[in-house]
Amino acid sequence: MIRIKTPYEIEQMRHTCRLAAEALRMIEPHVQPGITTQQLNDICHQFILDHGAVPSPLNYRGFPKSICTSVNQQVCHGIPSSRVLREGDIVNVDITTNLNGFHGDTSRTFAVGTISSKAAKCIDVARNCLDIGIRAIRTGGHVGDIGAAIAAYARLQHCSVVREYCGHGIGRDFHEDPAVMHFGEAGQGALLRPGMIFTIEPMINLGKAAIRHLPDKWTVVTQDHSLSAQFEHTILITAEGYEVLTDIDQVYSSSSQESAA
Ligand code: MF3
Ligand code: CO
Ligand code: CO
């Protein structure tokens, strides 16, 4: 069941999404060669607590840390550890805040120092996939429009889309309906209605789409060891189109229905 948010719930979601985005902006300058993913975790954990929220991942279905840090061929759900980031690595930092009982979810993949052109391509394609997915949103359109647009672009770039994990409704629960797949058919799936809030978070591999899990049961990696990158925003459907609630850099103009022309 897809929950249409009330004006009060939308206001609360604006606050928690802003905080999640601020935490992600805060951590960016710390992503440097020599730092451990545990240190990134601890800095984010304290920032979130200092702002009156709690990190949603901590103890979520047994997840042991406050953020997810996924390095190189890790696709998602990497567990912060004593691993030291090295020049040339790429790392996705995925932050979810619970502020007053409402969850905001956003992630980006960062370059650690100078990276290879292959790594840069992976990041660029993943960022563009999120952007293209967002711009495919039309009020009165369908959730399948988003995945179809993402998959078409990824294919043109000779990259693959991970199929096992998708975007999700979000609000009072971390993961709600609908599932927002990053592939599929335009015109299919749930109708996009004002008051819906969900994430789009495509995971893009330079190689094949297949994944496996590490023995820690959480970390998802590419089966072929190819690089993987991901970007995520939390998005509100409005009467006019959409608002990207975790976009504090104002990349996306709010309340705009992109014209079809
Ligand atoms: N933040 C992830 C998402 O985008 C979910 C992480 S679940 C965790 O949906 F348990 F691994 F934290
Ligand atoms: Co998410
Ligand atoms: Co997330």
Side-chain angles (χ1 to χ4, degrees):
M1 187 215 37
I2 297 173
R3 296 181 183 145
I4 299 298
K5 271 64 179 180
T6 65
Y8 167 78
E9 290 171 328
I10 291 168
E11 198 50 37
Q12 295 300 314
M13 287 299 287
R14 288 190 201 288
H15 293 311
T16 191
C17 287
R18 165 163 285 278
L19 179 59
E22 282 171 350
L24 198 54
R25 175 192 271 170
M26 177 280 302
I27 202 63
E28 178 167 20
H30 294 279
V31 182
Q32 297 292 342
I35 200 163
T36 67
T37 53
Q38 178 69 50
Q39 286 175 302
L40 296 177
N41 178 87
D42 294 349
I43 296 164
C44 289
H45 179 90
Q46 195 58 48
F47 182 90
I48 291 166
L49 293 190
D50 286 347
H51 289 80
V54 293
S56 308
L58 187 59
N59 302 319
Y60 176 78
R61 302 188 181 192
F63 191 77
K65 301 287 176 172
S66 298
I67 62 172
C68 297
T69 52
S70 305
V71 184
N72 297 340
Q73 80 279 11
Q74 296 177 356
V75 171
C76 63
H77 303 168
I79 303 174
S81 72
S82 57
R83 178 178 185 155
V84 178
L85 295 178
R86 305 276 177 211
E87 179 105 19
D89 285 343
I90 61 173
V91 59
N92 175 276
V93 177
D94 192 337
I95 296 180
T96 314
T97 51
N98 176 347
L99 181 64
N100 298 328
F102 292 85
H103 299 272
D105 194 4
T106 185
S107 87
R108 287 167 62 184
T109 299
F110 298 110
V112 181
T114 304
I115 60 173
S116 68
S117 55
K118 273 173 73 172
K121 178 184 173 170
C122 191
I123 289 178
D124 284 348
V125 174
R127 187 194 290 103
N128 289 342
C129 280
L130 173 57
D131 188 66
I132 283 164
I134 290 170
R135 294 185 198 281
I137 294 173
R138 299 284 181 278
T139 308
H142 293 81
V143 74
D145 303 350
I146 297 167
I150 289 170
Y153 171 77
R155 188 186 171 88
L156 276 176
Q157 297 299 320
H158 307 286
C159 289
S160 52
V161 176
V162 171
R163 302 179 77 85
E164 288 83 352
Y165 296 90
C166 43
H168 49 91
I170 184 167
R172 293 181 190 269
D173 286 317
F174 191 167
H175 295 101
E176 302 182 356
D177 287 341
V180 180
M181 283 177 319
H182 304 115
F183 57 91
E185 269 189 75
Q188 299 292 303
L191 198 63
L192 299 176
R193 296 166 53 205
M196 285 173 61
I197 298 181
F198 55 77
T199 73
I200 303 177
E201 50 182 296
M203 284 139 271
I204 302 301
N205 302 347
L206 278 190
K208 297 209 168 83
I211 53 114
R212 63 182 185 87
H213 287 87
L214 293 187
D216 66 26
K217 304 270 179 64
W218 277 105
T219 310
V220 178
V221 298
T222 55
Q223 217 163 77
D224 63 7
H225 306 287
S226 66
L227 291 175
S228 187
Q230 179 181 28
F231 288 77
E232 174 174 28
H233 273 310
T234 300
I235 296 144
L236 165 71
I237 305 300
T238 65
E240 298 82 23
Y242 58 83
E243 274 180 55
V244 181
L245 300 180
T246 44
D247 174 30
I248 56 175
D249 299 324
Q250 296 188 287
V251 172
Y252 301 94
S253 55
S254 66
S255 300
S256 72
Q257 182 103 34
E258 304 268 329
S259 73

